[in-house]
Amino acid sequence: VVQLSGGGDWAPAALVVDMDGVLYRGGTALAGLDEFTRVTRTWPRVLLTNNSTVSAASCARKLQRLGAVVPEREILTVSAAMTGYLAAEFTPGTSVYVIGERPLHDAVRAAGLTEEGPGYAAVVLGLDRDLRYAQLGQATGLLRAGCPLIVTSLDPVLLTAAGAVPATGAIAAALRTSGGAEPVCVGKPEQRFFRAAMRRLGVPADRVLVVGDSLDADIAGGQAAGARTALMLTGVNRARPGAAGPRPDYVFGSLPELTGFLRRCTG
Ligand SMILES: [Mg+2]
């Protein structure tokens, strides 16, 4: 455990925990997952994912397969966050053009919007592993006609068992180039995603510990939302942070290290 900053007597009262690269990598549990979820069971906690191809239910099932029991209501996916964003920004019945997988289409419907064209008011983009060129073409036309581009994340890659594959940010970069639109991001590192998670906790932001494996997405976003942050060296950022860039309050090399820290916090 390395504490980089912050008072020595500070202790978290609630947790916002990124899942990919922290609890598992691809389909494989990281060591200490079951103990971590057991020890934090009584904590106010929200588990986050920027992956728009999963639902809270599928995340809970995956965790269960990996030996960890987490109630669905403690999981916040970026597709669920998209529902909140779209419901706040658009009137019910508005039509949007969606590129993404099933959970994102479900999210659009849950916001009261429709995918019936023509007359699309926005392009909503998440990861689509069956993406076709014609979809990029249709989205490009809409963006050039002035539709906003609303994306679930700007993450460049997703880590899978087969290695890094292009994620939503890579598709967004293509559409930014062809459509000339700056994407509006709903997921990490945007503050609104962390704030949505923290609203569920009932604890002030400065008592929340945001745990993640990405300096750019988790640490920068958690800090912007007013929380303390812990970097896990088990995902995308494997080296201790340098002098430049976001600086987490804590750095942990493994889940058992984090669990040990939280145990000491509760005495
Ligand atoms: Mg992650």
Side-chain angles (χ1 to χ4, degrees), residues 119-143:
Y120 296 111
V123 174
V124 174
L125 174 71
L127 180 56
D128 186 342
R129 288 167 292 182
D130 285 316
L131 180 67
R132 284 171 294 108
Y133 191 75
Q135 292 172 280
L136 292 175
Q138 179 146 14
T140 295
L142 292 167
L143 297 174

Side-chain angles (χ1 to χ4, degrees), residues 25-110:
R25 261 200 318 270
T28 308
L30 287 170
L33 169 63
D34 54 342
E35 190 200 16
F36 170 77
T37 47
R38 257 188 294 112
V39 167
T40 59
R41 193 170 45 87
T42 54
W43 286 62
R45 65 179 182 185
V46 173
L47 309 190
L48 291 185
T49 179
N50 243 13
N51 182 344
S52 64
T53 68
V54 297
S55 65
S58 71
C59 285
R61 280 196 302 274
K62 174 177 182 168
L63 287 167
Q64 189 148 31
R65 258 198 325 274
L66 299 178
V69 177
V70 176
E72 229 180 279
R73 65 173 184 280
E74 293 183 7
I75 296 170
L76 179 61
T77 70
V78 72
S79 288
M82 180 64 85
T83 295
Y85 179 83
L86 294 175
E89 294 290 321
F90 296 97
T91 52
T94 301
S95 179
V96 294
Y97 183 69
V98 182
I99 296 177
E101 298 187 16
R102 171 108 183 260
L104 190 62
H105 293 277
D106 291 344
V108 166
R109 199 171 330 113

Side-chain angles (χ1 to χ4, degrees), residues 113-248:
L113 307 192
T114 161
E115 296 185 39
E116 299 286 322
Y120 296 111
V123 174
V124 174
L125 174 71
L127 180 56
D128 186 342
R129 288 167 292 182
D130 285 316
L131 180 67
R132 284 171 294 108
Y133 191 75
Q135 292 172 280
L136 292 175
Q138 179 146 14
T140 295
L142 292 167
L143 297 174
R144 292 176 77 91
C147 280
L149 173 59
I150 305 166
V151 306
T152 53
S153 97
L154 292 170
D155 296 344
V157 294
L158 185 67
L159 300 180
T160 71
V165 296
T168 309
I171 309 172
L175 288 178
R176 174 197 262 151
T177 302
S178 61
E182 276 308 307
V184 175
C185 179
V186 167
K188 299 182 293 177
E190 290 305 312
Q191 276 189 49
R192 66 170 74 89
F193 192 35
F194 289 96
R195 288 194 192 287
M198 294 193 304
R199 270 198 302 276
R200 294 184 175 192
L201 296 171
V203 166
D206 62 2
R207 295 301 309 281
V208 174
L209 184 67
V210 170
V211 180
D213 65 312
S214 164
L215 282 170
D216 292 335
D218 304 308
I219 306 306
Q223 281 176 346
R228 302 250 179 144
T229 57
L231 177 70
M232 304 300 294
L233 300 177
T234 48
V236 294
N237 289 113
R238 300 295 181 93
R240 295 194 181 281
R247 198 161 168 75

